[in-house]
Amino acid sequence: PKTHERNVEVTRFGRYRKQNGIQWPLQLSRTRNGDKIYESFFSSVEFNANIADDLFTIPNDDSRPEN
């Protein structure tokens, strides 16, 4: 920034619930210089879920949409 002013970002976690013995936040909010810029709410969390490996496969060029 040209003005050398500092930006203050604050991330807050809330609505903690215990799942499988782990306290985990179900609400996340972020502010920048006092203005809310992001907020998420979650209804559940699952740890060590069985997720198929192909979910993390990067698609090849043939399967990407054309612009």
Side-chain angles (χ1 to χ4, degrees):
K2 293 180 182 180
T3 62
H4 298 285
E5 290 181 14
R6 291 182 179 232
N7 286 317
V8 177
E9 284 200 17
V10 176
T11 302
R12 295 191 176 175
F13 302 91
R15 292 184 57 228
Y16 281 83
R17 300 293 183 266
K18 190 177 270 190
Q19 179 70 28
N20 297 338
I22 301 169
Q23 290 280 354
W24 197 262
L26 297 181
Q27 181 178 357
L28 168 71
S29 62
R30 180 171 287 167
T31 60
R32 182 181 297 134
N33 300 327
D35 296 324
K36 187 185 297 185
I37 60 171
Y38 180 81
E39 189 167 40
S40 289
F41 297 92
F42 306 95
S43 58
S44 65
V45 62
E46 188 175 346
F47 300 102
N48 298 321
N50 250 345
I51 300 175
D53 289 342
D54 64 351
L55 183 64
F56 299 96
T57 302
I58 298 172
N60 60 31
D61 289 337
D62 295 336
S63 64
R64 292 183 184 171
E66 292 185 26
N67 291 334

